[in-house]
Amino acid sequence: MQRSEQLFQQAQKLFPGGVNSPVRAFGRVGGTPPYFKRGSGPYLFDEDDKQYIDYIGSWGPMVLGHAHPGVIKAVQDAASDSLSFGAPTAVETELALKIQQHLPSMQMMRMVSSGTEATMSAIRLARGFTGRDKILKFEGCYHGHSDSLLVKAGSGALTMGEPDSAGVPTDLAKLTLTLPYNNLEAVEQLFAVDGSNIAAIIVEPIAGNMGMICPVPGFLEGLRVICDQHGAVLIFDEVMTGFRVHIGGAQGLYKVRPDLTTLGKVIGGGLPVGAFGGRTDIMQCIAPLGPVYQAGTLSGNPIAMASGLATLTALEAPDFFQNLHAMTHRLTEGLSSLAESAGIGLSTVGQGGMFGFFFSGQGPVSNFEAVMAGDADQFNRFFHSMLDQGVYLAPSPFESGFVSASHTSEDIDRTLEKAERALQSL
Ligand code: KE4
């Protein structure tokens, strides 16, 4: 991995930790991150021309696989007409209509340029709409890096061991209440005493930033009832799950309707796009219609909109999510049985094109505390064995993995052959 090592050394002088997003630095697993120069379908090629089967997919956007011909053509065609106008375009309307077709709860929406912008704006909107200041999030959930949401956060914050970031004013952080994921009783107790001061609950309807954790039956439905009882806004952060776990997102899978939804990743197809939207009466509080200000130079960028539109059009193909789920299931079931044969405690979970695995003997994992009890050393050794064998997994136990529509059963089976060797070596 010589070229990547040289590049990483040079990058350390330019970027903190040598990276532009912390989890990429391999801080949790050690070693040098490969530098990629090309992707094609399920494969990545690093600067030393080593090929990897990719299970990160740029942390979710690449649900079609890398360099999908239809997406690349849409981007090239749009780019030849200029990269940005800073003005309304027809293509942003087309993308919004397609999103709304599959997520009808998004009666109105606003495009932004990242998931962080989407959740930050949604929180401000919920506070402006209700006139309340407190919000509730769940331990281990990550909603991007805006100040109010960097409290007991997951993903890179957890990977770096800093779930509560420095630099967030104490007076602001105390307005962010946190509870264990999947603990509905704790939410009921909190709202019983403080419900009239809570503007919103923001939740990952399937948690993907402390590994992958699915909601226990009744959890999401219960949040819906509590928000209705207390006039709080229910925000589903579907930046990761949107167009990843089901054509209708997690809200379509679990049939629970949020008041607001945040999106990102897949709706940009690899280009910077986020969105927030939901009930018309709430969205009408957003400037220029209402008093909640929100803006962005490159919001609705036409190249990014074209990329997202081509991506969503492609995933509307018949049986797209059934096939994607079948591939993911083949991987997770295979990993489970290989681990059992190797006498390793491994629990796996998968939904649509998203999966997780935990090195823990305690069976299914349902919250942050159980995640933290996992065997981090086994994870690290498994990760590096797979990376050496050309399988690119997330470099942290506090992330999810992603399968694309371009992964074939042969790719999955080759992955499992390598996993067998990795598990035997633990
Ligand atoms: P971005 O600002 O990174 O586009 O989105 C923030 C965000 C919001 N909500 C959820 C549920 C998310 O998963 C994310 C971002 N996810 C991480 C991966 N766990 C992005 C990868 C990174 O931080 O480098």
Side-chain angles (χ1 to χ4, degrees):
M1 200 198 289
Q2 306 84 341
R3 183 87 180 103
S4 292
E5 281 156 359
Q6 288 165 2
L7 287 165
F8 195 43
Q9 210 145 51
Q10 181 185 22
Q12 313 255 351
K13 302 186 186 80
L14 287 164
F15 311 115
V19 292
N20 284 301
S21 198
V23 72
R24 303 176 188 174
F26 276 30
R28 191 91 198 182
V29 292
T32 298
Y35 276 61
F36 297 116
K37 62 181 178 183
R38 185 169 71 86
S40 175
Y43 310 122
L44 287 172
F45 302 87
D46 72 14
E47 288 285 350
D48 295 298
D49 288 321
K50 177 175 177 178
Q51 178 177 326
Y52 300 77
I53 306 175
D54 178 21
Y55 288 102
I56 296 185
S58 182
W59 302 98
M62 311 316 284
V63 72
L64 303 181
H66 293 284
H68 182 279
V71 176
I72 298 299
K73 180 164 183 341
V75 168
Q76 287 172 331
D77 289 351
S80 57
D81 293 334
S82 178
L83 300 185
S84 183
F85 308 114
T89 62
V91 67
E92 65 194 17
T93 298
E94 283 180 75
L95 180 57
L97 287 169
K98 192 161 285 294
I99 290 170
Q100 197 175 67
Q101 185 188 333
H102 299 295
L103 280 79
S105 72
M106 296 183 80
Q107 296 170 337
M108 290 189 88
M109 66 189 82
R110 170 66 56 89
M111 299 292 180
V112 294
S113 298
S114 70
T116 291
E117 266 194 278
T119 56
M120 174 181 72
S121 306
I123 292 296
R124 182 184 312 135
L125 172 57
R127 284 171 162 157
F129 175 72
T130 60
R132 302 172 183 176
D133 291 340
K134 291 180 181 177
I135 59 169
L136 170 63
K137 71 177 286 293
F138 295 92
E139 286 166 354
C141 284
Y142 178 72
H143 303 287
H145 63 90
S146 64
D147 283 354
S148 283
L149 293 168
L150 274 183
V151 178
K152 291 198 174 69
S155 183
L158 192 52
T159 296
M160 314 316 292
E162 292 147 3
D164 305 310
S165 173
V168 177
T170 310
D171 284 351
L172 180 63
K174 69 186 176 192
L175 296 176
T176 301
L177 311 174
T178 58
L179 288 173
Y181 192 77
N182 271 329
N183 186 335
L184 189 62
E185 196 184 324
V187 181
E188 284 161 351
Q189 287 165 2
L190 170 69
F191 270 77
V193 296
D194 209 7
S196 59
N197 301 313
I198 299 174
I201 297 177
I202 184 166
V203 64
E204 291 183 59
I206 294 177
N209 288 291
M210 47 176 151
M212 178 176 173
I213 294 180
C214 291
V216 297
F219 179 60
L220 298 179
E221 294 83 348
L223 297 182
R224 176 69 278 166
V225 168
I226 290 166
C227 283
D228 288 341
Q229 283 170 343
H230 295 273
V233 176
L234 180 58
I235 304 171
F236 274 11
D237 178 357
E238 296 225 41
V239 166
M240 186 182 284
T241 54
F243 299 101
R244 170 57 67 176
V245 298
H246 183 278
I247 189 87
Q251 60 193 266
L253 186 67
Y254 293 107
K255 310 233 178 319
V256 175
R257 190 182 179 100
D259 300 311
L260 292 177
T261 298
T262 54
L263 297 173
K265 297 180 191 277
V266 171
I267 67 165
L271 292 189
V273 179
F276 64 97
R279 277 173 32 196
T280 302
D281 60 327
I282 299 176
M283 288 302 290
Q284 287 181 332
C285 296
I286 286 284
L289 268 187
V292 180
Y293 196 70
Q294 189 282 332
T297 301
L298 295 176
S299 296
N301 172 270
I303 319 306
M305 297 292 103
S307 175
L309 185 60
T311 299
L312 298 199
T313 303
L315 60 76
E316 288 175 331
D319 299 332
F320 182 92
F321 280 93
Q322 287 87 326
N323 297 336
L324 192 60
H325 186 76
M327 275 307 123
T328 301
H329 187 71
R330 189 185 185 103
L331 177 65
T332 54
E333 286 307 295
L335 287 173
S336 292
S337 54
L338 287 171
E340 195 175 344
S341 312
I344 303 272
L346 183 79
S347 69
T348 66
V349 58
Q351 178 58 48
M354 182 174 166
F355 68 91
F357 56 89
F358 294 97
F359 283 98
S360 70
Q362 282 88 6
V365 172
S366 66
N367 64 25
F368 174 75
E369 191 183 350
V371 167
M372 296 310 286
D375 188 327
D377 182 48
Q378 272 193 333
F379 174 88
N380 285 3
R381 285 186 281 120
F382 178 74
F383 170 83
H384 277 293
S385 173
M386 294 295 270
L387 188 70
D388 292 346
Q389 295 183 77
V391 178
Y392 188 54
L393 297 170
S396 163
F398 310 124
E399 296 291 353
S400 294
F402 302 101
V403 175
S404 81
S406 64
H407 285 76
T408 64
S409 48
E410 289 75 27
D411 295 311
I412 303 296
D413 293 347
R414 273 188 19 245
T415 302
L416 292 172
E417 284 163 21
K418 297 167 191 289
E420 184 169 28
R421 283 195 283 276
L423 289 165
Q424 296 293 353
S425 72
L426 291 189

